[in-house]
Amino acid sequence: MELLYKKDLKRPYQPHKMNKDIALSDTLKGKFNCFYKGIQDSDS
């Protein structure tokens, strides 16, 4: 599953030289995407 906020970035994602990427389960990614979408829809 892909994280939605990465699509909304204005320029390509450039990870920091030191990789701090945390592996997320599909369930957690789905919850994060719902949370992010709620923020976008809130108009605040």
Side-chain angles (χ1 to χ4, degrees):
M1 177 179 282
E2 190 173 24
L3 292 172
L4 297 174
Y5 79 93
K6 288 185 180 180
K7 291 182 185 178
D8 291 342
L9 295 174
K10 304 238 185 271
R11 54 188 172 155
Y13 176 68
Q14 298 272 334
H16 192 270
K17 291 180 182 179
M18 184 180 240
N19 189 0
K20 296 182 182 178
D21 194 22
I22 299 170
L24 301 175
S25 68
D26 284 342
T27 304
L28 194 54
K29 285 181 183 179
K31 288 180 181 181
F32 185 80
N33 284 340
C34 287
F35 175 73
Y36 180 70
K37 201 165 185 154
I39 291 172
Q40 285 182 316
D41 295 342
S42 71
D43 293 333
S44 61

